[in-house]
Amino acid sequence: MVNDTAILEAPPAASNKALSIAFLFATYLAFLGLRSALNRLQSKSDGLPFPPGPKGLPLIGNVLDMPRKNPFVKYTEWAEIYGDIVGLKILGKPMVILNTYQAAKEILDKQSLIFSSRPRLPLVDMNSDWGSFLLLLPYGSQFQTSRRFMNSAVNPGAVREVQSVIQEQARTLLYRILKSPEFHQHNLLMQGAIILKIAYGHEVLDHDDHWIQVSEKATRCMEDLGNVGGHPVDLFPTILGKLPLWVWGKKTKRTLEGVKQSGIDMHIRPYEVVKEKHAKGLAHPSMTTRLIDENMQYDGTVSNAHDIAWSAGAVYGGGSDTTTTSLDFFVMAMMLYPEVQKKAQEQLDKLLQHDRLPTFEDMENLPYITALMKETLRWRPIVPAGFPHLSTQDAMYNNMHLPSGTIVLWNAWSILHDPEQYSHPEEFYPEHFLVPSEKQPLDPEDVAFGFGRRVCPGRHLARTSLWIAMASLLTLFEISCPIDEEGDPIKPETNYIDGVVSHPKPFKSVFKPRSEGYLKVLMEEREAK
Ligand code: HEM
């Protein structure tokens, strides 16, 4: 995912470039003032108010109220004052935060035809093809094609077909941890290998893999871009978008060129490589080869080639960092809650008897592992402040008016830490999901993966990868904190590092094989390969 959010941040300090920019800026503010006055008039024209929220300043609205770090904390405070839907204006643009599941469901699910677009990122759109990335596509025909292509590769049936690949990668993860303890790196490699296999039929052997490197470079380029959506061009595209790039300095120009190139390297190149191999009959079957076949024309050209390339890239772009981060949080939870780990291992040992490793067929008999997976998504949702949807028509919610063009975020953190739903909201407590069905709380999968027509298309793959990785890790290893010189455990910090995908601060963990029996099975399996 792109690494920072558009509207969550105040604009960075304006460049000191030219007085003319200041003049353009002032003119634009005057225009905004007029527009926001018109907006206010329009939103009252049907007699319904915009949702309540902090008052904001003339012209810029709530720009200065927007929290720079952990925005969900501020959103939760606002919820206590203004209720389940909080209304804001950012430079004249309406924005709402949904703080309850009911509000998110009513607006994003039940009115999904209206609330399924995305705000644009003009700086990136004008200077690269990243606007074709599924996550960023506005609602429309390209979005529908891209979703269809993506769903064809990661729907529940398609994921079932690649279960053996996923299981094999989980075993490789165990093996790599035995060789060296850098869990995060091995985790990243596991998710990357699964995804590159699905998207391109490509086998990843190690960290030096070319496609893994390409995607890491793309992530770095996006990070260099910094506050995506917060650049002056994003805020005032009509006027500032017309200026030549050099106005923003050499560094920004270079970064944007890198962003453009990374889009080509991560989407177009792999597509071309697979297409060429496929033509020679040398490609392994994959999402790309199947879509090429389905879209092949009589003259040998492939229709929708651009959408195929960007959809296959979206499997990697959307799926690697996300699942990796959730599994990192799981390891953190196991370090901090050893009694939970012990309970899971008791259930595993009862079933596996130290003489085999878990498989997907065991899922039904390992409800504690499934509860661990749900609790990981709840305890530390990796998109805690939601991802922006954009409405494309006027709408209503609880007698309030949501004008067309409203940006909508849902506060996943507060929804998933609601004490009315979860008896131990702040703790890692899988027992939340081990109650009779009539007492089951809200399923975190219904929140952590988003809503409506933009719900995460990779959720089936994510839950499958997470489940087998969790079951396998706990079967083979006891996971604990490293010990410092005084003999005290070095506990990981549970706070997030900001970003759209919110990561934990890097931490070290100890993986100790806990049974000769499981170790032997793993080694025998490896030798048989
Ligand atoms: C634990 C793992 C994951 C979590 C928590 C997660 C969460 C999310 C969330 C919250 C969204 C935004 C939904 C919305 O706007 O309503 C999203 C979108 C998306 N996710 Fe995931 N995701 C995960 C794994 C994956 C995987 C494995 C893939 C790829 C196979 C993937 C691909 C995508 C794509 C392409 C989008 C954009 C969809 C669109 O805009 O229409 N994600 N994800």
Side-chain angles (χ1 to χ4, degrees):
M1 280 186 182
V2 181
N3 204 11
D4 218 330
T5 182
I7 43 272
L8 301 185
E9 303 269 354
S15 149
N16 60 0
K17 281 285 173 284
L19 264 179
S20 58
I21 297 181
F23 175 73
L24 289 174
F25 188 77
T27 317
Y28 198 78
L29 283 183
F31 164 73
L32 280 178
L34 192 64
R35 194 174 73 176
S36 93
L38 278 172
N39 278 350
R40 273 198 303 277
L41 274 178
Q42 273 168 3
S43 81
K44 292 220 166 125
S45 65
D46 50 10
L48 297 177
F50 185 65
K55 200 160 181 313
L57 293 171
L59 303 178
I60 61 169
N62 299 102
V63 167
L64 303 180
D65 295 322
M66 294 311 287
R68 281 191 159 264
K69 289 208 155 187
N70 291 334
F72 55 88
V73 176
K74 190 75 186 168
Y75 299 168
T76 308
E77 283 169 27
W78 284 337
E80 277 164 28
I81 307 170
Y82 303 107
D84 65 347
I85 175 165
V86 176
L88 302 154
K89 287 273 160 70
I90 308 293
L91 297 166
K93 290 185 186 151
M95 172 167 170
V96 295
I97 318 279
L98 310 176
N99 287 297
T100 60
Y101 177 69
Q102 286 67 24
K105 183 110 191 123
E106 285 297 323
I107 293 173
L108 298 174
D109 268 358
K110 294 202 180 150
Q111 302 189 60
S112 68
L113 189 61
I114 297 178
F115 288 95
S116 291
S117 202
R118 297 278 194 216
R120 304 308 302 146
L121 298 174
L123 184 70
V124 172
D125 280 353
M126 287 172 193
N127 295 289
S128 75
D129 205 8
W130 275 95
S132 299
F133 187 49
L134 174 55
L135 183 75
L136 304 177
L137 278 174
Y139 193 75
S141 61
Q142 194 183 354
F143 161 78
Q144 278 158 341
T145 306
S146 208
R147 276 291 300 200
R148 185 159 46 81
F149 286 172
M150 177 114 187
N151 282 338
S152 70
V154 289
N155 65 47
V159 172
R160 254 194 310 279
E161 277 176 29
V162 290
Q163 273 185 350
S164 60
V165 173
I166 301 172
Q167 189 167 299
E168 173 58 26
Q169 283 301 326
R171 300 282 208 270
T172 307
L173 173 72
L174 302 181
Y175 191 69
R176 287 192 178 122
I177 297 172
L178 284 173
K179 298 267 162 213
S180 72
E182 296 93 25
F183 175 74
H184 173 73
Q185 284 304 319
H186 301 320
N187 180 13
L188 203 62
L189 200 57
M190 170 186 169
Q191 309 311 332
I194 293 169
I195 279 164
L196 287 169
K197 180 82 183 158
I198 293 174
Y200 305 115
H202 174 71
E203 305 277 348
V204 172
L205 296 179
D206 56 33
H207 290 106
D208 296 332
D209 181 89
H210 175 68
W211 298 125
I212 297 267
Q213 297 294 325
V214 164
S215 104
E216 283 183 5
K217 196 166 158 214
T219 310
R220 277 198 302 277
C221 282
M222 285 298 182
E223 277 165 7
D224 287 349
L225 199 59
N227 184 13
V228 177
H231 191 276
V233 171
D234 293 319
L235 302 169
F236 309 110
T238 324
I239 295 181
L240 300 187
K242 298 210 167 43
L243 298 176
L245 265 189
W246 57 259
V247 169
W248 307 109
K250 273 191 194 144
K251 187 167 175 272
T252 306
K253 187 167 178 284
R254 237 192 347 264
T255 307
L256 282 167
E257 283 160 4
V259 166
K260 181 176 180 179
Q261 188 58 42
S262 71
I264 297 169
D265 293 346
M266 217 180 129
H267 299 86
I268 309 302
R269 293 262 183 282
Y271 169 80
E272 282 170 349
V273 169
V274 173
K275 188 176 167 228
E276 204 180 309
K277 274 194 183 172
H278 190 40
K280 293 180 188 155
L282 299 174
H284 293 288
S286 66
M287 166 182 180
T288 305
T289 56
R290 185 176 38 74
L291 288 172
I292 287 176
D293 289 343
E294 285 170 16
N295 288 275
M296 184 64 77
Q297 304 299 297
Y298 289 116
D299 62 1
T301 57
V302 178
S303 59
N304 298 312
H306 179 267
D307 292 339
I308 298 173
W310 277 85
S311 307
V315 182
Y316 195 88
S320 163
D321 191 26
T322 43
T323 317
T324 305
T325 306
S326 270
L327 198 61
D328 282 347
F329 274 122
F330 162 77
V331 167
M332 178 188 281
M334 294 303 94
M335 293 161 69
L336 296 172
Y337 293 87
E339 67 292 349
V340 169
Q341 181 176 174
K342 200 157 167 276
K343 274 192 203 165
Q345 285 162 341
E346 277 166 14
Q347 190 169 85
L348 284 161
D349 292 345
K350 206 166 156 208
L351 183 75
L352 305 172
Q353 298 288 321
H354 297 260
D355 66 9
R356 67 181 182 88
L357 296 172
T359 67
F360 285 108
E361 284 76 60
D362 297 320
M363 202 178 252
E364 222 173 277
N365 297 316
L366 292 171
Y368 204 82
I369 302 295
T370 306
L372 280 179
M373 187 198 62
K374 289 187 186 293
E375 184 64 354
T376 302
L377 295 170
R378 186 202 72 79
W379 182 64
R380 287 294 177 273
I382 58 160
V383 190
F387 195 75
H389 288 218
L390 180 81
S391 70
T392 45
Q393 287 172 41
D394 281 8
M396 264 175 59
Y397 170 71
N398 268 1
N399 285 327
M400 284 174 272
H401 178 223
L402 305 178
S404 176
T406 298
I407 291 170
V408 185
L409 287 166
W410 71 96
N411 184 349
W413 178 269
S414 77
I415 297 173
L416 293 172
H417 288 78
D418 178 358
E420 302 217 340
Q421 286 287 332
Y422 307 105
S423 57
H424 299 65
E426 303 307 324
E427 284 173 39
F428 189 90
Y429 188 70
E431 284 73 9
H432 284 137
F433 309 103
L434 294 166
V435 291
S437 57
E438 68 278 7
K439 291 195 180 153
Q440 281 279 338
L442 174 62
D443 186 342
E445 293 185 42
D446 291 342
V447 179
F449 291 117
F451 289 90
R453 294 174 196 214
R454 299 310 291 231
V455 68
C456 173
R459 61 199 184 284
H460 312 292
L461 177 61
R463 70 189 307 284
T464 306
S465 299
L466 287 174
W467 190 91
I468 195 71
M470 290 174 182
S472 306
L473 287 168
L474 290 181
T475 301
L476 197 73
F477 295 112
E478 187 188 315
I479 305 172
S480 58
C481 299
I483 303 293
D484 70 12
E485 283 161 7
E486 269 83 55
D488 296 322
I490 306 171
K491 292 194 175 176
E493 283 181 35
T494 57
N495 294 344
Y496 290 111
I497 300 178
D498 270 330
V500 166
V501 172
S502 295
H503 305 95
K505 212 166 153 192
F507 60 94
K508 287 203 174 358
S509 39
V510 176
F511 288 81
K512 199 168 128 214
R514 60 183 196 90
S515 140
E516 279 300 318
Y518 296 132
L519 197 58
K520 190 164 160 259
V521 178
L522 179 72
M523 291 310 180
E524 282 169 2
E525 275 188 19
R526 299 299 301 183
E527 276 160 26
K529 297 239 164 294

